[in-house]
Each structure stands twice: as structure tokens, then as C-alpha cells.
Amino acid sequence: MKTYYFPNTFLWGAATSAYQVEGAAEEDGKKKSQQDVINAGRRFSDASVTSDFYHHYKEDVALMKEMGMKSYRFSIAWSRVFPDGDGDLNEKGIEFYDNVIDELLKNGIEPIVTLYHYDMPLALVEKYDGWIDRQSVADFERYARFVIDRYKDKVKIWTTINEQSIIVQFWTQKNLIPEKYLSDHQIRYQINHHLNLAHCLAVKAVHELVPGGIAGAAIGYNPIYPLTSDPKDCLAALNAQEFQNQFYLDVYFKGFYTKSVLIYMQDHGFAPKVEPGDVQIFRENISDFLALNYYSSECVKWPEEGAVFQESGVNWSGKKGEMDSHEIQEDFYEKILNPNADRTDWDWTIDPWGMEYLLRDIYTRYNKPLMITENGIGYHDILEADGTVHDDYRIKYLHDHILAMARAMHYGVEVLSYNPWSFEDLLSTSNGYEKRYGFVYINRTDNDLKDLKRIKKDSFYWYQRVIRDNCISE
Ligand code: BG6
């Protein structure tokens, strides 16, 4: 049995996002974000209370400390700080983050702050359709600069945009898109262009304002495998890899759009409009690291002749679902479920080998430090009558993924942190409270708020030992 030890500086932790845990969606001056509207229209709980971190943060930070966390990755809600997106500061809103950050630091937990996690202020959606309009870049920059400046002495690690690739792939769920644009894929990639500019301007602000600060995006990243060794399937995998992954990373680390993807987009009429000076903004603001959200891998094959398939009707883990219904014509690659991988109850593939594969692959190509800012298994957890939650499936999932990360580190990959999803149960973006991720169980369901009691799952105690021993064994 082999044991892998981690560096003493390794930032063990866990992650959440603002609208998925905070609740208090319209309290103390906060106004709605687009997620409040998107979630209100779904078949599970809305985002008004979620796990009520807003009122429980001290209790939750105490649990983080008890578990041994060295870092906590969370996001700031733009609409709590600037309720109208571009208007006045909400003093009470920013005070909440002052308090959370101070509480973390007091408990020896390093804050890893994400500036944007799907929650565009609703006011800006109503004003100019959110990320569709280029004005969103300037408004985001103002918000980001304010927050970065306020915490420049307390927060050193900044992630900019959460899962840009997912925002683009599932653009009608992660954004409120007016009916008239629903089948306009040029708009989809224009949103992406604006997100790239927003990301770069936030990196710039960190470099200018934060002594010793580092910045990077948190990308949703699925390694992509060819179904067979047929050269056409391998080429399809390369196409998918460039289209879904490299297209984002090349901007973050090289300052340009991947040529093959841009040509594909031009051929199909949905390339973004790039203004003079934009590429210079990309080139001058290269990321310091890449934060990875890893859950699943994907499998592709060469598309059938004339195939039209619903890229966005298949969720990003490969599950055909109710997620989106707007077609994009693809003759580049065709996604299929990987026949060689286990799956969760929601058909997300469970692939720890994919963790080692992606870490080594990305590190070799870009040679920048990596962080894991999400990784975890959604499950129908059961609260037993004696108040325990036996989540051995989560322990196995996390063990196998940490081991894969350790193997990648053994082969030289620089990984700074591990922040699995999620510290506590939260509002899953696709399945509400039916699907749980946390080390800490929140006593509520989609239909019943109950007492919101915090209950430590078996995985809490297991992860506590991993952090304490700072190692993982085969
Ligand atoms: C990531 C997001 O895509 O996946 C999180 O950054 C999300 O916000 C997580 O919660 C799990 O997905 P889901 O759909 O189960 O919430």
C-alpha cells in the first residue's frame, strides 16, 4: 500500500457559492440576481433561504475549523454589494462579507474568493440583458475592483468567473436570455467574449491592487476521451477538447482564441465580434493559475453523416435531460455516454482516473499551478433516526479522486489546493436539495425548511482525518 504525503502548505478546504448557500436573497438591501428568477421557475426549492449561511456563518465557520479546513472557497454576490449592479454600494451587504472574511481569518482559514458564480444582478438583466451587452464588462469591472480593493490585505487568492464554459454551454439556464435570442448562437459566443474581457480585467485589478495576490478563472472541465481508437473518433475527441476546453484556457494563458474553433465558428456564422484592443486586453492579463471544477469525464465519437444533435439537451456529464432545449448543429463531434465508467443517480460519470489525466494534461500544456475548486458526488443522502448520515459512497468518491490528484502531484504537477463541493449541503443548480454534496447535512428539503440544523456526516470525520494526517493511502 502506497501513501502519498502533501506539502505542508497544501490548502485543504471545501467550496460553496453565494446564491446556493446564503439565502437572505432580498434582505438587508440585497436585490435579486438572475438566479432568483431562474430557480423560482424550477421544480425544486427557490433560492430565497437555501442553507441560510447568511444567518449561520459563525456556526458554519466553527464547523470548518473543526474539520480542519485551511481554506474556504466561496463567492461574493454582486447584487448584495451593488444591488442594482451599477448603482450605489449596499453598506450592509459588504459588511456581511467583511464579517465572513474576518471570521475565516480569525479561525486560520484562508479565503479563496470567487467574484461571479452565475448570479448577474437582475437589475442589469432588466436594463440591458446582462452579459449580452458589452456594458456588463465595465459594470463587472467596477464591482470587481471595489471588492478586490476592499480585501486586498486579507484575500490573496481570487477566482474570477465560475465555469465560463458551462455558462456558455448551458447559456439559457445560466443566464436569463430573452426569447428573441434563444436560437442565436452568435449571442452565446458574444456572452463568452464579454466574460473573457471581464475575467481579464479582474486579473488586472488583482495584479494592480493586491500585494502578492494571484488570480485565475474557475473552469468546469471535463476531460474528453475518444470512444474507440478509430482515428476519426480520436479526431472528434480533439475537436471536442478544443471546442469545450482549450477555447477557454488559450485565452486565460496565451491571450488568444484557439484558431481551429474560431474558424469553425466563422464557418457556421457564430463567431464573436472582437473590438480593436480586446486581444491586447487578453494578452496583457494572463492568469496566474487555473482553478478546476471536476466532476465527470466525457466520451465522443465521429458524428454520423448530417447528424444534428442537441448539445445543450445533453447535460455536461452526458446525461440526456430536461436541462435545455435549444439546438446547436455540430459536425465536429458527437457526445455519447462513456461505456467504461460508473455513474451517479443522475448519470454523471464517476471517473477518478480523469482527475489525474486532466491535471497532467493541463499542467503539461500550460505549465501553471492548478487548484481544485470543486469535486464531489451528488447523492440522495439519508438522515437516520439517530441523527447520523452514512455517506460511504462520498468517502469512496473523494478518496479515489484525492489519490488521483496525489499521483498527478507525484509526477510533478503543481496543485495548490483541494476544495471539494461542497462544505455543506446547498441548492444544487440542477436538482435542488434532492441532490446533496456536503460534508455537513442541512436539515431541510425542497418543500420543508425544517430547522436547518447542521449535522456532520461520516465524510466530515473521514475528511478531518485526511487533513490532519496530510496524506492519502491507496
Ligand atoms: C458546478 C457549479 O457546475 O457544479 C456548482 O459550479 C454546482 O454551482 C455544481 O452546484 C454541481 O452541479 P449541480 O447541478 O448538481 O448543482
Side-chain angles (χ1 to χ4, degrees):
M1 188 176 73
K2 191 163 177 179
T3 299
Y4 294 88
Y5 288 88
F6 290 82
N8 286 334
T9 50
F10 192 72
L11 290 172
W12 294 105
T16 63
S17 87
Y19 90 88
Q20 294 178 271
V21 287
E22 284 178 6
E26 291 182 82
E27 209 171 306
D28 288 341
K30 182 183 180 298
K31 290 191 183 167
K32 283 184 177 160
S33 85
Q34 62 183 2
Q35 286 307 325
D36 293 302
V37 177
I38 291 170
N39 275 280
R42 307 190 73 180
R43 62 184 166 74
F44 44 80
S45 164
D46 64 24
S48 58
V49 179
T50 63
S51 303
D52 203 24
F53 180 79
Y54 192 77
H55 298 108
H56 289 75
Y57 75 90
K58 283 196 177 174
E59 184 186 348
D60 291 351
V61 173
L63 285 166
M64 293 176 197
K65 185 178 167 73
E66 185 184 336
M67 195 161 66
M69 281 167 53
K70 314 261 186 257
S71 66
Y72 174 46
R73 183 232 172 184
F74 63 100
S75 73
I76 289 184
W78 181 352
S79 61
R80 201 178 287 290
V81 179
F82 293 106
D84 294 314
D86 58 355
D88 292 339
L89 172 70
N90 176 26
E91 291 290 350
K92 285 215 157 169
I94 197 72
E95 266 170 31
F96 168 67
Y97 295 111
D98 292 349
N99 293 338
V100 170
I101 290 170
D102 288 346
E103 193 68 18
L104 289 168
L105 293 173
K106 201 169 87 190
N107 284 283
I109 300 169
E110 174 137 8
I112 299 176
V113 172
T114 298
L115 290 162
Y116 181 81
H117 199 114
Y118 306 149
D119 50 356
M120 168 65 75
L122 186 62
L124 296 184
V125 177
E126 286 167 346
K127 192 168 175 184
Y128 53 60
D129 296 331
W131 290 113
I132 292 175
D133 194 295
R134 195 177 164 107
Q135 179 59 33
S136 58
V137 178
D139 289 335
F140 173 82
E141 186 187 12
R142 170 180 179 258
Y143 148 71
R145 276 198 167 257
F146 172 82
V147 170
I148 292 165
D149 189 46
R150 187 162 182 114
Y151 300 124
K152 60 177 181 260
D153 297 322
K154 298 181 175 177
V155 176
K156 297 296 167 188
I157 306 179
W158 294 86
T159 62
T160 55
I161 307 287
N162 182 68
E163 297 200 343
Q164 191 176 328
S165 55
I166 299 300
I167 296 176
V168 172
Q169 197 172 344
F170 299 106
W171 69 307
T172 61
Q173 296 158 54
K174 302 300 182 195
N175 305 283
L176 276 174
I177 304 291
E179 195 74 33
K180 62 180 176 193
Y181 294 135
L182 283 178
S183 39
D184 187 341
H185 296 291
Q186 197 283 328
I187 295 282
R188 181 201 283 232
Y189 289 99
Q190 199 60 41
I191 289 176
N192 181 54
H193 186 64
H194 296 155
L195 287 167
N196 278 326
L197 292 169
H199 158 81
C200 287
L201 292 169
V203 170
K204 182 171 196 244
V206 170
H207 289 163
E208 284 174 7
L209 300 170
V210 185
I214 51 173
I219 192 89
Y221 194 104
N222 293 359
I224 294 164
Y225 308 129
L227 176 64
T228 71
S229 57
D230 179 331
K232 281 160 76 187
D233 286 346
C234 295
L235 190 58
L238 181 65
N239 289 343
Q241 162 65 16
E242 292 185 347
F243 201 87
Q244 292 185 194
N245 293 330
Q246 198 166 320
F247 187 58
Y248 303 91
L249 271 54
D250 279 351
V251 171
Y252 301 153
F253 292 120
K254 295 182 173 169
F256 55 72
Y257 281 122
T258 313
K259 229 181 196 174
S260 56
V261 180
L262 209 52
I263 291 170
Y264 179 89
M265 288 179 169
Q266 281 156 357
D267 287 352
H268 290 74
F270 51 79
K273 283 189 215 93
V274 178
E275 290 190 6
D278 287 356
V279 172
Q280 199 177 338
I281 293 176
F282 293 174
R283 291 220 175 104
E284 287 174 354
N285 299 291
I286 297 300
S287 297
D288 303 302
F289 62 82
L290 183 68
L292 290 154
N293 297 350
Y294 174 62
Y295 293 88
S296 295
S297 55
E298 287 181 18
C299 191
V300 301
K301 69 183 187 72
W302 189 254
E304 301 297 332
E305 190 68 24
V308 176
F309 69 96
Q310 296 185 330
E311 185 202 10
S312 36
V314 175
N315 85 17
W316 60 283
S317 56
K319 185 190 174 198
K320 282 198 190 337
E322 25 87 64
M323 301 200 57
D324 204 336
S325 58
H326 308 290
E327 291 184 357
I328 178 166
Q329 185 148 9
E330 295 279 5
D331 43 17
F332 228 25
Y333 58 91
E334 184 175 339
K335 290 188 195 185
I336 51 160
L337 286 174
N338 188 342
N340 297 308
D342 289 337
R343 309 212 191 104
T344 70
D345 285 356
W346 288 271
D347 266 354
W348 292 31
T349 54
I350 300 175
D351 176 15
W353 294 99
M355 174 74 104
E356 182 176 354
Y357 181 93
L358 75 92
L359 288 170
R360 290 180 53 186
D361 181 40
I362 296 172
Y363 191 70
T364 301
R365 281 189 287 124
Y366 298 100
N367 202 26
K368 290 280 185 179
L370 303 173
M371 295 165 56
I372 302 294
T373 38
E374 290 184 33
N375 174 230
I377 185 167
Y379 217 88
H380 291 103
D381 289 344
I382 296 185
L383 178 62
E384 306 288 348
D386 65 356
T388 52
V389 179
H390 303 304
D391 55 344
D392 47 314
Y393 37 85
R394 180 164 295 110
I395 292 173
K396 175 165 174 38
Y397 180 100
L398 295 173
H399 170 271
D400 294 352
H401 283 76
I402 292 174
L403 192 59
M405 174 175 71
R407 287 194 304 265
M409 291 170 79
H410 172 75
Y411 284 113
V413 179
E414 202 182 339
V415 185
L416 305 178
S417 67
Y418 181 68
N419 286 88
W421 196 254
S422 50
F423 167 66
E424 61 195 24
D425 291 341
L426 42 67
L427 183 73
S428 151
T429 64
S430 52
N431 301 92
Y433 277 84
E434 187 196 348
K435 189 207 255 173
R436 293 172 183 267
Y437 287 92
F439 293 106
V440 175
Y441 186 92
I442 302 291
N443 193 32
R444 62 157 296 176
T445 63
D446 279 320
N447 307 320
D448 184 354
L449 283 178
K450 299 192 179 174
D451 56 6
L452 294 166
K453 195 169 163 214
R454 279 61 183 143
I455 296 160
K456 292 171 244 175
K457 302 182 191 176
D458 287 357
S459 57
F460 181 100
Y461 299 104
W462 171 82
Y463 191 46
Q464 188 181 47
R465 287 194 295 278
V466 172
I467 298 177
R468 183 197 62 200
D469 298 345
N470 202 26
C471 65
I472 195 92
S473 297
E474 279 171 348

